[in-house]
């Protein structure tokens, strides 16, 4: 098409428009892929966090149910589980306040 250092100046306008359109399309495609990847990561982290919270609360409820059981053996197992949960600090954020309060009542321990 051209010889020397003329660059795009010697190209037909339709060819320049095609190259520019292809570059813009590639840039937009990469931007969309990046946004999609970022959204997928944010969603994945949120889902993992929710699953961890659900697991922690199910363990918490299991321990409290066992502590409140009339059977002495189950109640003791519940107290041991509650003491372990209290020491592990398994609950986080807003859940920690109510969970710690209940676990302190069950175990008789108090954080300093």
């Amino acid at each position: 098409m051209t010889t020397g250092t003329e660059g795009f100046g010697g190209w037909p306008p339709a060819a320049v428009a095609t190259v520019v359109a292809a570059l813009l399309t590639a840039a937009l495609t990469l931007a969309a892929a990046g946004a999609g990847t970022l959204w997928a990561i944010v969603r994945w982290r949120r889902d993992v966090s929710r699953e961890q919270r659900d697991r922690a609360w199910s363990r918490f409820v299991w321990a409290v149910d066992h502590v409140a059981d009339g059977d002495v053996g189950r109640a003791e197992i519940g107290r041991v589980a509650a003491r372990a949960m209290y020491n592990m600090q398994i609950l986080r954020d807003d859940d920690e306040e109510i969970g710690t309060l209940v676990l302190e009542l069950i175990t008789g321990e108090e954080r300093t």
Side-chain angles (χ1 to χ4, degrees):
M1 292 198 157
T2 63
T3 58
T5 59
E6 293 178 12
F8 285 130
W11 287 25
V16 173
T18 303
V19 169
V20 170
L23 290 174
L24 286 175
T25 302
L28 288 175
T29 302
L30 287 174
T37 301
L38 182 63
W39 175 251
I41 290 171
V42 167
R43 247 186 108 179
W44 172 75
R45 287 184 57 118
R46 188 181 60 205
D47 291 346
V48 167
S49 176
R50 185 180 307 127
E51 287 174 13
Q52 288 175 342
R53 181 176 186 253
D54 290 347
R55 265 189 249 119
W57 272 109
S58 67
R59 291 174 185 153
F60 178 82
V61 169
W62 183 91
V64 171
D65 282 345
H66 275 68
V67 167
D69 199 315
D71 183 21
V72 175
R74 283 184 178 224
E76 186 59 31
I77 289 171
R79 280 189 210 89
V80 169
R83 193 169 296 115
M85 285 186 72
Y86 182 78
N87 291 333
M88 287 189 317
Q89 301 177 11
I90 197 168
L91 299 174
R92 292 183 176 81
D93 302 329
D94 297 334
D95 301 336
E96 184 180 14
E97 294 176 24
I98 187 70
T100 301
L101 179 67
V102 171
L103 291 174
E104 284 176 353
L105 289 172
I106 291 171
T107 62
E109 297 176 17
E110 189 172 330
R111 288 223 167 92
T112 55

